[in-house]
């Protein structure tokens, strides 16, 4: 018999052993999970502190953060989560901030970002938009670390909202729905500039279209913003709003500020804060967004007005 045969059989057996070992180590693998780690113990839920957060970067997109603090004595990995509230429909994963496995070590904090569901509003404009029973969150966690974790476990935990984010979003959503039932508000596709009394000013056009068969909606005030300073005061009122009966409002303004940093990082300054009544009932402020082309016009105007190099 060839002297190579025993050696070949030994190498084959060794390779098979390595394959079996690797298979045994990764059995049940699902994006980093390993079956030899058990599910999360049920008592861990009591040691998780969950808080609702919302930054100014996410405000316009109705995105909130489910922030989880691990007060247990066990390292975890945070895999996802949802917000459960009687005031909103099911929350959803956001395309901009998808769920990613994050190590949630003992004493650590991590967050899951979700988009709020459809608001549950009162039947009429005179009803108060009130947040329902105590909201809670379903967070998906596992034992281990981000790269090697056990089977996912969904835990139902209470969620606090010290910043009142749910109430604010609900009020805005329901006010927007009430106003939209009688008016369609749209910022124009361009911001034009003109000279008035030796000063270079800009003008926003706001289209006001009545909804056939809808309630009586009247605009009572439009505020300025962190970028926009209405000419003649801090808001457009009375005579400046007379054009709403003809379907078009012309809103002249100058820049609110000229510092590069604040303008570059601003996330809300292009929204027009509109105050209105629906059938005589005052509503929470409604924010009307600016189209992208108009945003470019606005920033070019600010750069020119502020004499940026």
């Amino acid at each position: 018999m060839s002297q190579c045969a025993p050696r070949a059989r030994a190498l084959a057996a060794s390779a098979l052993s390595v394959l079996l070992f690797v298979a045994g180590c990764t059995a049940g693998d699902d994006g980093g999970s390993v079956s030899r780690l058990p599910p999360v113990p049920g008592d861990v839920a009591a040691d998780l502190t969950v808080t609702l957060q919302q930054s100014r970067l996410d405000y316009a997109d109705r995105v909130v953060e489910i922030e989880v603090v691990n007060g247990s004595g066990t390292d975890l990995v945070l895999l996802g989560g949802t917000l459960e509230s009687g005031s909103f429909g099911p929350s959803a994963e956001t395309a901009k901030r998808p769920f990613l496995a994050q190590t949630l070590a003992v004493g650590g904090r991590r967050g899951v970002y979700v988009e709020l569901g459809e608001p549950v509003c009162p039947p009429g404009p005179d009803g108060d938009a009130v947040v329902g029973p105590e909201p809670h969150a379903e967070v998906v966690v596992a034992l281990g670390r981000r790269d090697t974790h056990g089977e996912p476990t969904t835990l139902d935990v209470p969620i606090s909202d010290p910043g009142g984010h749910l109430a604010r979003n609900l009020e805005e959503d329901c006010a927007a729905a009430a106003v939209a039932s009688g008016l369609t508000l749209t910022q124009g596709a361009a911001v034009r500039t003109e000279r008035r009394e030796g000063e270079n000013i800009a003008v926003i056009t706001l289209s006001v279209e009545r909804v056939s068969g809808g309630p009586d909606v009247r605009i009572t005030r439009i505020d300025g913003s962190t970028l926009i300073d209405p000419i003649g005061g801090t808001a457009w009122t009375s005579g400046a709003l007379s054009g709403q009966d003809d379907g078009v409002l012309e809103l002249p303004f100058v820049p609110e500020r000229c510092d590069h940093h604040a303008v570059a990082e601003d996330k809300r300054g292009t929204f027009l804060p509109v105050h209105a009544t629906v059938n005589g009932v005052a509503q929470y402020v409604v924010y009307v967004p600016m189209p992208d082309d108009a945003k470019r016009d606005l920033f070019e105007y600010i750069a020119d007005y502020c004499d940026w190099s």
Side-chain angles (χ1 to χ4, degrees), residues 64-128:
V64 294
E65 179 189 8
I66 300 172
E67 183 189 72
V68 183
V69 176
N70 184 7
S72 74
T74 305
D75 284 341
L76 302 170
V77 56
L78 180 61
L79 299 171
T82 56
L83 174 68
E84 306 292 330
S85 169
S87 303
F88 293 92
S91 63
E93 181 179 5
T94 69
K96 292 182 179 179
R97 299 183 184 228
F99 297 160
L100 298 174
Q102 304 175 76
T103 299
L104 184 59
V106 174
R109 69 179 64 217
R110 290 291 185 268
V112 174
Y113 293 87
V114 298
E115 182 178 345
L116 291 172
E118 290 297 316
V120 179
C121 299
D126 55 345
D128 293 329

Side-chain angles (χ1 to χ4, degrees), residues 139-199:
V139 295
V140 183
V141 294
L143 294 181
R145 312 283 295 181
R146 180 178 62 184
D147 51 349
T148 54
H149 60 78
E151 293 299 320
T153 301
T154 300
L155 302 176
D156 192 297
V157 290
I159 184 169
S160 63
D161 182 16
H165 301 302
L166 285 181
R168 185 185 65 251
N169 279 273
L170 185 63
E171 286 181 319
E172 288 188 11
D173 286 352
C174 293
V179 170
S181 67
L183 281 186
T184 300
L185 301 175
T186 309
Q187 284 202 54
V191 174
R192 75 171 191 271
T193 59
E194 58 186 60
R195 297 288 292 181
R196 288 191 188 179
E197 299 179 358
E199 185 177 25

